[in-house]
Amino acid sequence: MNQSIRSFLPYYTDKFELTSLLDTVPRELKHCPVIRLHDIPLVTLSAKDNKPYTSTLTIEYTPDNKLVELHSLKAYLEAFAKQTTYLEQVIDVIYTDLKQVIEPSWLKISLERITVIGLPAMLVIDSKNDNAA
């Protein structure tokens, strides 16, 4: 059973108001490709020590009627550089925002980083496995 991250992480807040930075363009393609944006650097401030950490983000989706506008996506992701967060929170926020804005048929977000204690971490949210409302 999938639960929203909001229900079990006591430090989760809804302080991120970044959705307005995301724009879309209409999908005017005869065929519907799977779009994969990969090796995207994402800088956030660690909630543990408030130092900047860089993660590697991958966004994969099958568009329905909208595509994410790439300049707006870049501005959106750059806005996280001033946000203090945990890995679980940032991937949840990005997934939720993209799902809301582009309304894809399928969406998968992956986030990789070496944690503050030196362990490699990979988090994945895939709409194929998402039972959240």
Side-chain angles (χ1 to χ4, degrees):
M1 176 173 87
N2 289 335
Q3 285 184 298
S4 169
I5 195 112
R6 291 169 178 84
S7 65
F8 65 90
L9 292 178
Y11 49 78
Y12 190 97
T13 67
D14 289 315
K15 66 181 176 180
F16 299 101
E17 304 278 338
L18 305 176
T19 309
S20 64
L21 297 174
L22 289 169
D23 287 327
T24 63
V25 293
R27 181 189 74 115
E28 298 172 343
L29 306 170
K30 183 176 180 180
H31 301 285
C32 187
V34 171
I35 295 173
R36 184 170 192 261
L37 306 169
H38 60 90
D39 297 327
I40 303 166
L42 176 68
V43 177
T44 58
L45 298 176
S46 171
K48 178 75 174 171
D49 58 14
N50 214 33
K51 292 181 182 175
Y53 285 91
T54 302
S55 303
T56 302
L57 180 69
T58 301
I59 301 169
E60 299 172 87
Y61 70 101
T62 303
D64 193 4
N65 296 316
K66 298 181 232 175
L67 303 168
V68 67
E69 197 281 320
L70 296 179
H71 291 285
S72 73
L73 178 63
K74 183 176 187 244
Y76 169 81
L77 295 174
E78 287 174 348
F80 281 94
K82 297 177 185 173
Q83 303 294 325
T84 301
T85 185
Y86 285 84
L87 286 175
E88 301 91 346
Q89 183 179 20
V90 74
I91 193 172
D92 185 61
V93 168
I94 293 169
Y95 175 84
T96 301
D97 289 351
L98 285 174
K99 192 170 182 184
Q100 174 188 335
V101 171
I102 62 174
E103 301 172 333
S105 300
W106 169 73
L107 175 64
K108 180 179 176 182
I109 306 289
S110 304
L111 187 66
E112 296 181 63
R113 181 170 93 187
I114 302 299
T115 64
V116 293
I117 59 170
L119 297 175
M122 180 177 196
L123 289 77
V124 178
I125 301 178
D126 188 331
S127 63
K128 290 180 182 176
N129 303 321
D130 184 14
N131 296 327

